[in-house]
Amino acid sequence: MKAEISWEESRSVLFEWEVCRHAVPVEDTKCFKCMIEASIKCEDCHRLFCYHCDMKKHFLNPFHDRFSWASGYYEALPPTVTVDLNGTFTDWRRYDLYLPIFECQECGYSLPADAKMLYDGGYFCSSARKSNTFFSTKLLNNWHFLKRNSPGLSMKSLLIALQALGSRNGRYILQDGCINFEAAKRTFQEWRFMQYELANVQSYNKTVCPACHTNPFAIHIDGNKKLFRYEKVGRGLRESYYSESVFAADNDVTNHLNHIESLKTKVLYGGRWQHGSGLTTGEETEQIFSYMSRYNSTTKNMLKAEREEELSESSFFWNQRKHDSLARVLASRFCKAKEAAELIRKELADLSLDEKQLLIWIAELTNLAQSLNKRSVSQNDVQKGIELVCDSIRTKKSQISGVAVSSKMRSRYRAKIEADRKKLRELIAVYNEDNTEKLSVDIDEEGNFPWYNDTPQPTDNVNLQEKRNAAEKLHMYNRTMKEQNVIQLEMKSYLDFYRKKLEEITQRLDDVQNKSAPPSWIIEVSIRNRVNTQ
């Protein structure tokens, strides 16, 4: 509310400032240099110029945004045009950029600027041998971060925006655009490759996790990131620059898929029932899949090498962001696991059950899950199976209203409920064959089971749902305690990783300072660059 009130009070003042900024000068407009009446405003120099000083200043600064008010309003000027007070335009025709020549005033020695000097000045050439096009490294760096944080953007969109911005500021744009798309794309790729090699020289591997580089605790096997490709797209002539640093070779992927398809698995219970596991990976894995899937629209028509390079860069960026926040995330995860363990411990204490009884219930539930996967089950197992499936349906129904945050998640839960109902119908059919009192599928809504009314109560007087809830709490408590142990190991691995990295960098620094020849690790990178170029 305070922010809304503040903006409401400031809105009229800000609008007045904006209107004044568009108002042309009326009188007392002097050129800041020669002090005669000015006719041009430069938004980059933040100065007023007469047409003589404007020509001298901006002949070598063609990218400045300049405006004239000779017509009574601000009008953008092309880089090769200036205008006097009478509104007469002067055009120095050619729009050429000339390299500067550095000359000594003492001895007269002159040195023409080369590509190396332009590179030191912040411009990346489109070719190291002979180039007529240079790109600002600030533009390349800004585009990198914009692209990685907005994966749906394409370089064509960037070039269209740059051309529209240039046209708005008076720079002449051809009908089909004057920025060469292929040159811009390849220049950006080469610049990013160079940053990758620079990271290697700095001994910074973005594919290694500092917290689990020695022994990864959990691996997520779901690799579907919705990164589809059109079959009509060609393979291209060159291989990816990053080789197999991120993506495995095609033959290895094919062999791995053939092996996976030959395996048969059955899931008896969730991951929280798995002994030795912590809370494992959850939504954070889905986050990277969601991030990577946003590259589908811009990579589905790319050639193989370009596509792998784009997705490799996105993986590096995600890992970089993960590295930057890893220390804070580990500390936060440890605190959450510790708080969760204390909360569940209190809930278990309220149940007044010893661990031995809970373990008996867990064994009973596990055996029941195994028996339900068999073709023939006993009458007692059918009754318990009906209870188990009914409890699963009720749990998923509550998750639809309490956990699901999107229509996609609700659809997924409804599909699971339908699968449970199919299993329930099968179990009810088996039960009705051997009993005179028939059951209906609606039993899952009420949870009233006739065998508790017609037969004596179980010896422990606890139904299957209560047993399952108690077992879930015990498993969750064990998982939170294991999670704390895992995070402590990851913290230790994190510190060891950077301790070794510091020793390695210190040793490399000593090699550079104490040797006249380049160190071997720099020579290896240079050789790799030369091989990749060939």
Side-chain angles (χ1 to χ4, degrees), residues 247-480:
F247 294 95
D250 293 345
N251 293 335
D252 295 339
V253 174
T254 302
N255 295 334
H256 178 69
L257 291 176
N258 293 335
H259 174 68
I260 292 297
E261 292 174 357
S262 64
L263 301 178
K264 295 182 180 179
T265 59
K266 285 188 177 293
V267 179
L268 298 179
Y269 39 77
R272 292 179 180 176
W273 288 50
Q274 182 66 39
H275 292 289
S277 66
L279 297 179
T280 67
T281 55
E283 290 303 320
E284 68 179 45
T285 309
E286 298 298 333
Q287 290 174 7
I288 186 173
F289 292 165
S290 175
Y291 172 77
M292 296 292 291
S293 66
R294 294 162 63 188
Y295 283 94
N296 177 45
S297 59
T298 56
T299 60
K300 60 186 178 183
N301 285 312
M302 286 185 178
L303 297 177
K304 181 177 183 295
E306 295 177 1
R307 187 169 187 269
E308 288 190 6
E309 290 160 1
E310 178 73 8
L311 297 179
S312 297
E313 282 287 345
S314 65
S315 301
F316 295 151
F317 179 78
W318 179 274
N319 291 342
Q320 172 70 61
R321 191 163 58 180
K322 176 183 176 182
H323 288 186
D324 294 341
S325 61
L326 188 55
R328 176 181 55 81
V329 169
L330 289 174
S332 176
R333 282 176 53 199
F334 183 79
C335 292
K336 288 182 179 179
K338 191 174 181 180
E339 293 173 359
E342 181 63 22
L343 180 62
I344 298 174
R345 186 188 65 79
K346 293 179 180 179
E347 293 178 354
L348 285 173
D350 294 338
L351 295 177
S352 300
L353 295 171
D354 58 358
E355 186 175 355
K356 182 179 180 180
Q357 181 63 47
L358 289 175
L359 294 177
I360 294 175
W361 289 353
I362 291 173
E364 178 184 347
L365 293 170
T366 303
N367 293 332
L368 176 59
Q370 293 173 343
S371 66
L372 292 178
N373 286 321
K374 299 177 182 179
R375 293 186 176 181
S376 59
V377 293
S378 64
Q379 184 66 28
N380 186 44
D381 286 344
V382 169
Q383 294 176 359
K384 293 181 179 180
I386 291 175
E387 291 187 47
L388 194 64
V389 176
C390 289
D391 181 57
S392 176
I393 293 175
R394 285 192 296 269
T395 302
K396 291 182 175 63
K397 283 186 175 180
S398 65
Q399 289 174 337
I400 289 179
S401 58
V403 178
V405 295
S406 64
S407 59
K408 186 176 182 180
M409 290 182 64
R410 287 188 287 271
S411 299
R412 191 157 53 238
Y413 279 124
R414 291 189 184 100
K416 292 180 179 180
I417 290 175
E418 186 58 34
D420 285 343
R421 281 179 173 166
K422 180 180 178 181
K423 183 67 175 179
L424 180 61
R425 287 192 293 268
E426 295 175 356
L427 292 173
I428 289 177
V430 175
Y431 177 85
N432 291 339
E433 290 178 358
D434 301 328
N435 293 273
T436 57
E437 183 178 0
K438 306 301 181 183
L439 295 179
S440 65
V441 182
D442 296 335
I443 193 173
D444 69 291
E445 298 288 346
E446 303 172 359
N448 297 321
F449 305 106
W451 46 84
Y452 285 146
N453 300 326
D454 300 338
T455 59
Q457 295 292 325
T459 55
D460 52 18
N461 199 29
V462 179
N463 61 33
L464 206 61
Q465 181 181 356
E466 294 176 349
K467 292 179 180 180
R468 179 181 176 183
N469 291 337
E472 287 280 356
K473 292 183 184 300
L474 178 61
H475 277 303
M476 190 60 183
Y477 177 75
N478 293 335
R479 298 296 78 76
T480 54

Side-chain angles (χ1 to χ4, degrees), residues 485-502:
N485 297 335
V486 170
I487 296 175
Q488 288 177 342
L489 293 176
E490 290 180 341
M491 289 178 173
K492 182 178 181 301
S493 177
Y494 180 90
L495 296 175
D496 291 341
F497 177 85
Y498 282 107
R499 187 179 295 111
K500 293 178 181 178
K501 186 66 63 177
L502 177 60

Side-chain angles (χ1 to χ4, degrees), residues 197-239:
E197 292 290 2
L198 180 62
N200 290 335
V201 171
Q202 295 171 335
S203 187
Y204 184 37
N205 188 352
K206 296 181 181 180
T207 61
V208 175
C209 176
C212 60
H213 63 285
T214 55
N215 185 24
F217 180 74
I219 298 176
H220 202 296
I221 62 173
D222 183 8
N224 180 17
K225 305 177 183 64
K226 301 181 178 63
L227 294 172
F228 308 111
R229 288 189 79 236
Y230 288 150
E231 294 182 356
K232 65 181 181 181
V233 180
R235 305 290 292 179
L237 299 177
R238 66 182 183 90
E239 295 294 330

